[in-house]
């Protein structure tokens, strides 16, 4: 990996892309320290310190949420909008037709995604402002409106920043912004661990065990991300005039974790929706019910989390991989799986293999999402730097390195042809 970075730095174009990406990420980190006007930081700390609801969002935003800065909502509304548009592509024929129209269709879908991002950010900003109204200094209508506009504008700016990184830098801009937020919390995690040990709420052996468990999870994430079942495919030979086409052997890769981190995000959004509603009514019986039965460290919450993650893994994999379409394409171009007849037998075989892989991938995601809770309860460390954050960070790092290697290979080929 380090040799790849060294080789990439020697290429002028890649070096400019790396510096551009780093510059944009520095802008993101600077903005994460600009506070929203009209907010009392002490009140925010008291409100957010009462529960465990916001630990994950604080990690994703790089501490901007807990400090309630202009990037407090991070780029999550844009991620949610992208997921919704991807699902609507399957459900609405007109959007599906746009997706098949090539570059122009994708530009139109990207435009709709931006509009939906602003709407979602506005709704979330209103909800956050109302829920944290007690922390607003002199909560007049004008001041509340300014806070809502500031939060919405911060997310919109991050969306623009991510698109610029994707276009002119290296890697996926939105993913890199989340990655930068997660990585920026590591020094704070080290400091908190030291404080826990110093205060006696945790011991050094528990901290070492936590660190080892995190390293093991990183290895497992890499194995699951790169692991795949390769189904062999053979193409029949065709003679057209004097030329022979086909006859090649290839494979269909079915990954262990095809859905990525999307099922975990779906499950977290669904499970924490009641907790977000409960914060609007802090003295109600509904709030007490949610705190008692849906606490993020409770048994019921984590059992529901496991079932939802596995269910969403099946759902999202069905959206992005259709065995029927793959079977039809194989039959159309003269391909077949050795030992399996084309048509329905191929569809049934692909479905059977896919279901087995999805089940393993769903169990893996559920394990990654719930294991940090077990570790925090066992070691006494409340760090929230869990499996979901690791899964995102490792996945983004692997994807960015693959893009850098792709740029290097492309330039090596160009040099060879010249």
């Amino acid at each position: 990996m380090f040799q790849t970075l060294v080789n990439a730095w020697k290429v002028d174009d890649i070096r400019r892309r790396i510096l551009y990406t780093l510059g944009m990420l520095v802008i993101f980190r600077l903005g994460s320290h600009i506070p929203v006007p009209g907010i009392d930081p002490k009140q925010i700390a008291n409100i957010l310190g009462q529960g465990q609801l916001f630990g994950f969002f604080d990690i994703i935003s790089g501490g901007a949420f807990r400090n309630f800065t202009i990037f407090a909502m991070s780029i999550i509304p844009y991620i949610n909008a992208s997921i919704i548009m991807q699902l609507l592509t399957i459900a609405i024929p007109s959007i599906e037709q746009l997706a098949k129209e090539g570059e122009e269709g994708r530009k139109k879908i990207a435009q709709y995604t931006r509009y939906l991002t602003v709407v979602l950010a506005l709704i979330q900003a209103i909800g956050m402002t109302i829920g944290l109204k007690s922390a607003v200094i002199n909560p007049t209508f004008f001041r509340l409106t300014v806070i809502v506009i500031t939060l919405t504008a911060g997310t919109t700016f991050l969306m623009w920043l991510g698109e610029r990184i994707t276009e002119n830098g290296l890697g996926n801009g939105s993913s890199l912004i989340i990655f930068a937020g997660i990585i920026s919390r590591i020094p704070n995690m080290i400091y908190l661990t030291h404080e826990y040990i110093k205060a006696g709420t945790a011991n050094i052996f528990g901290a070492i065990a936590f660190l080892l468990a995190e390293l093991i999870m990183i290895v497992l994430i890499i194995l699951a991300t790169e692991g795949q079942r390769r189904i062999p495919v053979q193409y029949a030979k065709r003679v057209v005039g004097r030329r022979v086409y086909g006859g090649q052997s290839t494979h269909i890769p079915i990954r262990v974790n095809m859905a990525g981190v999307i099922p975990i995000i779906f499950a977290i959004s669904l499970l924490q929706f009641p907790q977000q509603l409960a914060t609007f009514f802090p003295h109600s019986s509904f709030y007490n019910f949610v705190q008692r039965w849906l606490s993020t460290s409770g048994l019921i919450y984590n059992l529901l989390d496991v079932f939802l993650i596995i269910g969403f893994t099946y759902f999202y994999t069905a959206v992005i991989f259709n065995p029927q379409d793959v079977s039809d394409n194989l039959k159309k171009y003269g391909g077949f799986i050795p030992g399996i007849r084309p048509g329905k037998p191929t569809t049934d075989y692909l479905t059977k293999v896919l279901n087995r892989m999805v089940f393993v991938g769903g169990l893996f995601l559920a394990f990654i999402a719930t294991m940090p809770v077990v570790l925090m309860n066992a070691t006494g460390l409340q760090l929230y730097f869990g499996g979901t954050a690791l899964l995102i960070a490792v996945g983004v790092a692997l994807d960015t390195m693959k893009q850098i290697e792709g740029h290097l290979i492309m330039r090596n080929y160009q040099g060879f042809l010249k």
Side-chain angles (χ1 to χ4, degrees), residues 34-40 68-70 136-137 143 146-147 150-151:
I34 301 176
V36 174
I39 293 290
D40 185 357
F68 213 73
T69 67
I70 60 174
V136 179
I137 303 172
R143 180 154 292 182
V146 170
I147 294 174
T150 301
L151 292 173

Side-chain angles (χ1 to χ4, degrees), residues 336-412:
F336 62 93
I337 299 173
I340 307 295
R341 296 182 61 184
K344 189 176 185 301
T346 298
T347 302
D348 294 339
Y349 176 76
L350 289 174
T351 301
K352 182 177 69 173
V353 174
L354 181 65
N355 286 337
R356 291 176 178 177
M357 298 296 289
V358 169
F359 181 71
V360 174
L363 287 180
F364 164 76
L365 290 177
F367 169 79
I368 290 297
T370 56
M371 182 53 62
V373 178
V374 177
L375 291 175
M376 286 190 292
N377 290 335
T379 61
L381 298 172
Q382 302 295 320
L383 300 179
Y384 303 103
F385 195 81
T388 306
L390 283 177
L391 185 63
I392 296 173
V394 173
V396 173
L398 290 174
D399 181 64
T400 304
M401 288 306 301
K402 287 179 181 179
Q403 288 201 27
I404 293 176
E405 290 176 353
H407 281 285
L408 288 174
I409 291 174
M410 180 179 65
R411 281 156 181 77
N412 286 338

